[in-house]
Amino acid sequence: MPTPTKGPRLGGSPAHERLMLANLATSLFEHGKITTTEAKAKRLRPLAEKLVTFAKRGDLHARRQVMTTIRDKNVVHHLFAEIGPRYENRPGGYTRIVKVGPRKGDNAPMAVIEMVEALTVAQQAVGEAERARGTRFATPRSGGSSAAGEVTADTAALTDAGGTTGPGGDTSPDVTEGSEGVDDAQAVVTDVFTPDGETQDDTAVTPEPKRENAAVVDDEAISPEVAAAAAAEVEAAELGDAATAGRQAPGGESERDPK
Amino acid sequence: MAVPKRRMSRSNTRSRRSQWKATAPTLAPCPNRACGELKPPHQACPTCGQYDGRQTIAV
């Protein structure tokens, strides 16, 4: 049994309420979507759904009963010819109410009430399966898109790690070649780009002094940053000019990180 | 008819009016990723017009 409406009638008298609801239903079936106050939309919903149920039945008696509420024959024809058959497989719930902010002028809370779309084949199949099992499941929502986002984020992080340790981002990669931190990063990058598990063995390479690296600090115990800093100090002391030590590299100043 | 015996003092008037306070509205970020503006919950977003992934208001 439907819950009786609480509170006073819309418009003041029962007759006024009936007329207002009839006009609202007529406009809803004519346009498919109307904006009204929340209170009117909530009162309209049960009436409109009852009329759609009559339209689904589709016989002459139902049409005459609908004509007692909706006086416009064009709208009744549209209701029985288009709206009723559209909801052939939908077990109720033909309208949707969405709240849209307060109205300017009297600050009344407004809502949009609209006729919902016809059931798709997939929704219909899910409904039938649930009825057969006697259970109800929540429809999965946008699970695939979030998973794809995580995957792309992971690959971006890995490629980012490879880019920062590569020759483009570091001023003196040869100095710290044998250190552990760089090896780890390079191993990760190698894992990404050679999926068969083949890793390059860079631990055998011993850093040697070159033209662009006048000094090399080779010690396994200290971290690569400290080694690089120490090498730069020694280099600057040997060359006698600390300010232009970075220009000794063949590429001049280090390239900027593309990111 | 009944009328006030005394004029209400400035202090009493101001004490009464000191309780007239505005409250901050409850707002939540719009779940539409392209929008993300703050909006009242359970309402179509006034900025992008979407509710529950559906375009409700024409913007």
Side-chain angles (χ1 to χ4, degrees):
Chain A
M1 178 182 161
T3 316
T5 54
K6 290 178 180 169
R9 304 284 90 80
L10 296 175
S13 70
H16 194 179
E17 171 167 294
R18 277 199 301 274
L19 286 165
M20 283 170 73
L21 290 179
N23 287 336
L24 282 169
T26 307
S27 299
L28 175 63
F29 294 137
E30 189 179 351
H31 301 286
K33 176 178 182 177
I34 56 173
T35 306
T36 178
T37 62
E38 260 182 55
K40 281 178 189 163
K42 284 182 182 175
R43 293 283 183 90
L44 173 61
R45 173 178 247 175
L47 176 68
E49 305 221 347
K50 202 177 290 173
L51 295 176
V52 171
T53 309
F54 277 129
K56 281 169 78 175
R57 217 164 72 199
D59 54 2
L60 183 62
H61 179 53
R63 189 178 291 259
R64 283 178 175 159
Q65 281 185 308
V66 171
M67 282 296 290
T68 62
T69 302
I70 299 177
R71 319 298 301 212
D72 190 338
K73 276 190 182 169
N74 291 329
V75 174
V76 172
H77 175 73
H78 181 247
L79 175 63
F80 275 70
E82 317 247 335
I83 298 175
R86 196 203 302 170
Y87 298 138
E88 197 54 53
N89 299 309
R90 188 181 278 275
Y94 314 113
T95 56
R96 176 188 302 126
I97 296 177
V98 178
K99 293 169 186 153
V100 290
R103 171 164 65 188
K104 273 206 170 73
D106 63 352
N107 206 27
M110 301 297 282
V112 168
I113 180 168
E114 59 187 336
M115 310 300 296
V116 302
E117 304 82 19
L119 277 181
T120 61
V121 178
Q123 286 171 326
Q124 215 171 305
V126 168
E128 280 172 14
E130 283 176 4
R131 266 196 299 281
R133 291 170 58 118
T135 55
R136 236 181 113 105
F137 293 107
T139 53
R141 279 193 186 189
S142 69
S145 68
S146 69
E150 284 169 9
V151 168
T152 52
D154 283 345
T155 51
L158 285 177
T159 51
D160 190 20
T164 52
T165 54
D170 205 340
T171 52
S172 60
D174 289 335
V175 176
T176 58
E177 205 168 37
S179 303
E180 288 183 7
V182 177
D183 264 348
D184 284 344
Q186 282 178 347
V188 169
V189 172
T190 314
D191 284 344
V192 168
F193 290 116
T194 59
D196 52 0
E198 195 176 349
T199 57
Q200 298 171 352
D201 193 11
D202 286 337
T203 53
V205 178
T206 54
E208 291 181 0
K210 292 181 182 175
R211 190 176 61 81
E212 64 266 28
N213 298 306
V216 167
V217 174
D218 188 14
D219 193 352
E220 293 292 325
I222 60 176
S223 68
E225 292 89 359
V226 176
E233 273 185 16
V234 173
E235 215 171 325
E238 283 177 2
L239 294 171
D241 191 1
T244 58
R247 307 254 175 93
Q248 299 297 324
E253 293 194 4
S254 62
E255 292 179 38
R256 292 198 50 178
D257 199 318
K259 294 191 74 174
Chain B
M1 88 187 193
V3 291
K5 188 175 185 180
R6 295 260 177 237
R7 171 197 167 94
M8 194 166 205
S9 73
R10 196 160 67 178
S11 165
N12 274 340
T13 303
R14 289 179 179 174
S15 296
R16 186 179 71 247
R17 289 184 187 164
S18 73
Q19 299 302 316
W20 298 0
K21 287 168 189 162
T23 54
T26 309
L27 295 177
C30 178
N32 178 15
R33 284 191 190 172
C35 176
E37 298 280 328
L38 288 177
K39 73 173 191 67
H42 310 294
Q43 270 191 17
C45 178
T47 313
C48 65
Q50 283 194 7
Y51 185 75
D52 202 11
R54 226 181 275 279
Q55 193 72 30
T56 304
I57 324 167
V59 177

